[in-house]
Amino acid sequence: MWWPGILVQVSLFRAFHEKEVQAKGRLTRNQFFLIAFMCSFAYYVFPGYLFPMLTSLSWLCWVFPKSVLAQQLGSGLHGLGVGAFSFDWSTVSSYLGSPLASPWFATANLAAGFFLIMYVITPLAYWLDIYKAKTFPIFSDGLFTSSGQKYNISSIIDSSFHLDVEAYERNGPVYLSTFFAFTYGVGFASLAATVVHVCLFHGRDIWELSKSALQSKLDVHTRLMQRYKRVPDWWFILILSVTIAAAIFACEYYNEELQLPWWGVLLACGLAFFYTLPVGIIAATTNQRPTLNILTEYIIGYLYPGRPVANICFKVYGFISMKQAVTFLQDFKLGHYMKIPPQAMFTAQIAGTVIAAVVHLGTAWWMMNTIPNICNTTFLPSNSPWRCPSDRVFYDASVIWGLIGPRRIFGDLGIYSSINWFFLAGAVAPLLVWLGQKAYPDRQWIKLINMPVLIGATVQMPPATAVNYTCWIVVGFLFNNLIYRYHRAWWRRHNYVLSAALDAGLAFMGVLLYLSLGFQDINLDWWGSHLDMCPLASCPTAQGIHVEGCPVF
């Protein structure tokens, strides 16, 4: 039976195993990679330094410079991104990964989910004023008061960095933009859909493969790998035991700073262990990963409210552990196909992990001590590269789930309690697809509907923006549908090579620009340096709401 992911596997196996033959007048893969790399490297100087506006071209904002509605619709960074586009590969690939590496059916599911949420549900919710939507920006990750002003978080934190309940009651509840609130609902539904989908569509395969593994039934790749020494189980057990013990020690010894008790570490590890298999299956078949961060925040927020740092730590030990586990398995899978000795793979992964941890920690410490106002959008210009969208969302989440707690926002004391119905909707959706497949087995398109991907299409938003998605979808369909259909031979030889070259060129030029110009604070200031140019996109439209720089309706 034909399966949409087969085109990805065919190209991958060709890249790993097909002998490179130099045909007359045709480039080898290495030559193609070098040319594409140099082009990507040279081009990124434009969106990366000379012409940053290429990051998001929102033409509706230029046509209607004084219309709030037009800028809400057209802004690629602060609105719905209608007509917005980008000529910056970092915009295309920064949140969803390379669209060239995604099978077309997964791209179609993600596109359907994005258009449903972004262009149907969000506008309806906003113009029906659900959850006082018009009082806040149509697209924002900020926290607001009931009057549409930014919430002063520092006023509700006591000296021990816990929630000051009396101050919170005086200031009133925290409000979210309606899109941000629905984003959490989408996250709830996606996680429920992931478990149900894997059980319904892959449960039998998991059971059969588990039995065959116990009976030592080996496929051809595993038989070829038998000539190498395998990684002993005790290596994994030792690292697991040491890291869990170190995490528990850190949380107990530095409990005043980290706030997380020892049982929180064990619970987080249990969640990571449970979700690694279903998330790994979705990632393997669609190249999209459901995220566990919302569930980890929700659970510890209920069990241990009023402690934002504990919430962050629990999310790291739960969500990040699961994410790294899937990445670890992905690397081992590639090593398995390329016939790399398992012990060499294991050693390289451990060494890479240690090096990455040291480099990340050192870089973060250096940047926070050398770059003034890093991540502080109050003092940074709009075109600053140090606005840290992902870190700001991470911080806001720690406030929502850790400091204030889900009960005061999504529970019986909160405004957004009905968002919990998304759990049920997510669990039912894959069941409907499964029943439809059983009822109409001759309709092959039903099997291509992947509810975890479709429902969870916008889980990266924010910090991802509309232009990140629209460009990713367009490029994905262009390469994995049109080019694959009409230039299949070229696609098989060069698709993944081109993806790697674009990523590499961008990375090298980005580092070069910072070390040579950004580190010396040498910047250009002209109209092409300003991103988006949609200053009214974040304005509220409710009557009588006063926000600086916005008209009052």
Side-chain angles (χ1 to χ4, degrees):
M1 183 179 64
W2 179 81
W3 174 250
I6 194 66
L7 57 91
V8 175
Q9 297 175 17
V10 168
S11 182
L12 189 63
F13 276 104
R14 284 178 179 271
F16 287 159
H17 299 106
E18 187 180 68
K19 185 178 181 180
E20 185 74 55
V21 178
Q22 175 63 57
K24 185 177 181 180
R26 190 171 70 176
L27 297 173
T28 65
R29 288 194 182 97
N30 287 338
Q31 291 171 335
F32 180 82
F33 175 86
L34 289 175
I35 293 173
F37 167 79
M38 289 186 291
C39 291
S40 175
F41 177 82
Y43 174 77
Y44 187 66
V45 72
F46 292 98
Y49 184 74
L50 297 176
F51 199 5
M53 188 183 286
L54 293 173
T55 297
S56 178
L57 299 171
S58 305
W59 61 270
L60 273 179
C61 300
W62 309 341
V63 177
F64 303 100
K66 296 183 179 180
S67 172
V68 173
L69 175 61
Q71 296 196 22
Q72 285 179 328
L73 293 174
S75 174
L77 300 181
H78 306 289
L80 303 185
V82 176
F85 203 75
S86 173
F87 292 94
D88 180 359
W89 180 249
S90 67
T91 298
V92 177
S93 62
S94 55
Y95 292 101
L96 297 170
S98 174
L100 279 62
S102 178
W104 73 263
F105 85 100
T107 304
N109 277 276
L110 189 142
F114 170 74
F115 281 100
L116 175 64
I117 296 168
M118 200 67 178
Y119 298 135
V120 178
I121 295 177
T122 297
L124 282 176
Y126 187 83
W127 281 292
L128 291 175
D129 206 25
I130 297 175
Y131 296 131
K132 301 179 64 175
K134 295 182 179 181
T135 306
F136 318 110
I138 192 170
F139 179 89
S140 174
D141 61 355
L143 308 177
F144 302 94
T145 66
S146 59
S147 61
Q149 306 301 316
K150 289 187 177 180
Y151 205 97
N152 184 9
I153 301 300
S154 60
S155 65
I156 59 173
I157 301 177
D158 62 20
S159 58
S160 59
F161 213 65
H162 292 75
L163 176 66
D164 187 333
V165 178
E166 294 183 358
Y168 179 74
E169 292 176 351
R170 286 196 306 269
N171 291 358
V174 166
Y175 285 85
L176 314 175
S177 70
T178 301
F179 179 85
F180 199 16
F182 281 168
T183 295
Y184 282 120
V186 165
F188 299 161
S190 175
L191 287 171
T194 297
V195 175
V196 176
H197 175 91
V198 169
C199 290
L200 292 175
F201 290 92
H202 303 283
R204 178 175 296 179
D205 293 335
I206 293 172
W207 176 249
E208 293 297 330
L209 289 172
S210 299
K211 289 195 300 182
S212 65
L214 292 174
Q215 296 169 1
S216 300
K217 294 181 180 180
L218 307 178
D219 61 18
V220 60
H221 298 286
T222 305
R223 288 199 299 270
L224 291 172
M225 291 293 286
Q226 290 289 87
R227 68 184 63 183
Y228 299 122
K229 291 184 178 180
R230 58 173 295 182
V231 179
D233 292 340
W234 69 265
W235 287 15
F236 294 100
I237 296 173
L238 177 63
I239 291 178
L240 178 65
S241 302
V242 170
T243 51
I244 290 179
I248 292 175
F249 172 78
C251 288
E252 288 296 310
Y253 189 79
Y254 298 102
N255 190 256
E256 291 187 5
E257 292 83 4
L258 299 180
Q259 300 179 340
L260 186 68
W262 63 269
W263 55 264
V265 176
L266 298 179
L267 179 59
C269 293
L271 285 172
F273 178 81
F274 175 79
Y275 268 96
T276 294
L277 177 61
V279 170
I281 289 175
I282 299 299
T285 54
T286 68
N287 201 39
Q288 298 298 318
R289 297 182 186 180
T291 59
L292 192 59
N293 56 327
I294 293 175
L295 184 62
T296 55
E297 293 164 341
Y298 197 108
I299 290 174
I300 196 64
Y302 256 113
L303 296 177
Y304 215 49
R307 298 169 177 84
V309 181
N311 197 278
I312 291 174
C313 292
F314 188 84
K315 178 163 65 171
V316 168
Y317 291 130
F319 162 56
I320 303 298
S321 297
M322 182 274 296
K323 182 179 179 180
Q324 294 296 332
V326 174
T327 303
F328 186 84
L329 292 172
Q330 176 181 305
D331 292 344
F332 256 125
K333 177 182 177 182
L334 293 178
H336 195 73
Y337 288 160
M338 297 177 70
K339 308 303 177 287
I340 298 175
Q343 292 190 3
M345 278 287 298
F346 182 88
T347 303
Q349 287 177 308
I350 296 302
T353 300
V354 174
I355 294 171
V358 173
V359 171
H360 277 77
L361 183 61
T363 304
W365 178 87
W366 171 65
M367 292 176 66
M368 287 189 291
N369 285 277
T370 57
I371 301 173
N373 300 317
I374 187 170
C375 303
N376 191 337
T377 56
T378 304
F379 301 102
L380 290 171
S382 60
N383 62 342
S384 171
W386 308 116
R387 297 175 67 84
C388 317
S390 297
D391 298 290
R392 285 189 286 109
V393 172
F394 205 97
Y395 168 78
D396 289 341
S398 72
V399 173
I400 294 169
W401 302 101
L403 182 65
I404 299 171
R407 188 183 179 195
R408 290 188 173 89
I409 296 183
F410 295 101
D412 57 333
L413 302 179
I415 303 167
Y416 305 99
S417 58
S418 58
I419 296 294
N420 290 289
W421 286 104
F422 278 80
F423 278 115
L424 179 60
V428 171
L431 178 61
L432 298 179
V433 176
W434 185 78
L435 292 174
Q437 176 185 320
K438 295 296 182 182
Y440 303 99
D442 56 325
R443 299 184 182 180
Q444 298 294 318
W445 62 269
I446 297 179
K447 299 178 181 180
L448 304 183
I449 301 175
N450 190 295
M451 279 300 174
V453 175
L454 192 152
I455 294 174
T458 58
V459 294
Q460 300 290 343
M461 302 176 69
T465 60
V467 72
N468 294 118
Y469 273 75
T470 54
C471 294
W472 190 92
I473 291 167
V474 170
V475 174
F477 272 114
L478 175 65
F479 277 87
N480 291 330
N481 193 1
L482 296 180
I483 292 181
Y484 176 77
R485 180 174 298 179
Y486 298 109
H487 300 280
R488 191 166 300 183
W490 184 96
W491 187 94
R492 286 174 172 172
R493 286 180 56 82
H494 299 308
N495 184 66
Y496 292 104
V497 178
L498 176 62
S499 177
L502 291 173
D503 289 340
L506 165 67
F508 278 95
M509 178 54 79
V511 173
L512 178 62
L513 286 174
Y514 175 70
L515 294 178
S516 60
L517 299 170
F519 187 61
Q520 303 297 327
D521 201 23
I522 302 174
N523 298 307
L524 297 178
D525 189 9
W526 64 298
W527 68 269
S529 301
H530 300 281
L531 303 177
D532 211 33
M533 294 184 69
C534 302
L536 303 181
S538 297
C539 290
T541 57
Q543 293 184 354
I545 300 298
H546 296 262
V547 173
E548 184 179 355
C550 295
V552 179
F553 291 86

